Amino acid sequence: MALPWALAVLSLLPLLDARSLVCTNVTARPITNATLDRIAGKWFYVASSFRDAEFKKSAQEIETAFFYFAPNKTEGTIELREYLTIKDKCVYNFSYLNIQWENGTLSKYESGREHFAHLLLLEDPRTYIFAFHLEDEQNRGMSFYADTPEPTQGQMDEFYGVLACLGISKSEVMHTDWKKNQCEQLEKQHKEERRREEES
Ligand SMILES: *[C@@H]1O[C@H](CO)[C@@H](O)[C@H](O)[C@H]1NC(C)=O
Ligand SMILES: *[C@@H]1O[C@H](CO)[C@@H](O)[C@H](O)[C@H]1NC(C)=O
Ligand SMILES: *[C@@H]1O[C@H](CO)[C@@H](O)[C@H](O)[C@H]1NC(C)=O
Ligand SMILES: *[C@@H]1O[C@H](CO)[C@@H](O)[C@H](O)[C@H]1NC(C)=O
Ligand SMILES: *[C@@H]1O[C@H](CO)[C@@H](O)[C@H](O)[C@H]1NC(C)=O
């Protein structure tokens, strides 16, 4: 099943094409504690673009999604709580990601394989991108996240700029539809439960 944060397997780098100016700032950098502070918290899955047919199909099934990252710096893991809306139903998933500090990737072990995603931080700290299969033009993909379900035009343009670096056109982008979110109730319930746990 598709994960909004990672839908493809990624092998070793060559990173983004540095020919154009807009591309020069976009490279995967090693992950540090500061990176983790920046990505901790609640995020919305906004849009993605996948060329690999299987991953594309998975991404198409996700109507909307949001999730919480809770990094553990000493352990090198990130607790992930995902709320996906698939076929008008809320699907909740709890898992852990592994951090590869040096090569700037996060990974998840699923269906007998480790899936890697490059974390690309953007100029705007309220957004970021996961990039997949960058070395493979036929299977290249990326997904875009923001701290709001409906980012500004400026934020979207930054994402489109990175897409352009990779030679992916806007027409290949799939957008999520926040109006379809079915997870409000479940999130509220979980918040209540956590609050009660903290109190007791
Ligand atoms: C939830 O996570 C499990 C384990 O990682 C995975 O097998 C399953 O496909 C995931 N479900 C969704 C909807 O992502
Ligand atoms: C990242 O580093 C880990 C070891 O820290 C290695 O197992 C993994 O294959 C590397 N992944 C990539 C995509 O370079
Ligand atoms: C690259 O990053 C620097 C420093 O953050 C910034 O001043 C500059 O405008 C960026 N260039 C582009 C093309 O985004
Ligand atoms: C990152 O944070 C952990 C936990 O707070 C700490 O043990 C570690 O020394 C920090 N690493 C760096 C490079 O500051
Ligand atoms: C992080 O992981 C360590 C080692 O498993 C554990 O002792 C610690 O409580 C964890 N910290 C948080 C904030 O969950």
Side-chain angles (χ1 to χ4, degrees), residues 12-77:
L12 284 161
L13 317 187
L15 283 169
L16 302 168
D17 190 343
R19 272 175 308 196
S20 96
L21 186 62
V22 72
C23 304
T24 55
N25 275 358
V26 187
T27 52
R29 299 199 169 85
I31 291 169
T32 64
N33 281 350
T35 318
L36 297 182
D37 290 338
R38 181 158 157 180
I39 65 167
K42 185 176 182 177
W43 294 98
F44 297 86
Y45 167 49
V46 174
S48 63
S49 167
F50 291 97
R51 285 187 174 166
D52 179 292
E54 192 187 324
F55 302 132
K56 189 170 174 178
K57 188 165 170 288
S58 298
Q60 279 166 340
E61 284 175 5
I62 298 170
E63 282 154 350
T64 191
F66 62 91
F67 55 88
Y68 290 85
F69 273 159
N72 184 322
K73 292 170 184 166
T74 48
E75 219 179 18
T77 58

Side-chain angles (χ1 to χ4, degrees), residues 87-127:
K87 295 195 175 86
D88 286 332
K89 288 208 168 55
C90 181
V91 179
Y92 175 70
N93 223 346
F94 179 92
S95 58
Y96 287 93
L97 307 182
N98 294 311
I99 300 167
Q100 282 78 43
W101 303 91
E102 282 308 313
N103 51 27
T105 60
L106 303 179
S107 67
K108 185 176 182 182
Y109 196 75
E110 194 173 77
S111 322
R113 276 199 314 204
E114 187 110 27
H115 298 254
F116 291 93
H118 280 286
L119 173 63
L120 304 180
L121 296 179
L122 302 175
E123 219 133 289
D124 186 330
R126 293 163 302 161
T127 60

Side-chain angles (χ1 to χ4, degrees), residues 127-176:
T127 60
Y128 62 88
I129 285 172
F130 282 127
F132 313 88
H133 268 321
L134 293 181
E135 75 294 346
D136 181 353
E137 202 187 328
Q138 303 301 311
N139 289 305
R140 217 165 251 185
M142 43 203 301
S143 44
F144 178 57
Y145 306 86
D147 69 355
T148 163
E150 284 159 342
T152 63
Q153 191 57 47
Q155 290 174 322
M156 290 308 297
D157 286 344
E158 202 179 355
F159 168 61
Y160 292 137
V162 177
L163 274 183
C165 290
L166 291 174
I168 300 172
S169 85
K170 269 192 190 180
S171 65
E172 294 178 61
V173 174
M174 294 174 277
H175 295 268
T176 57

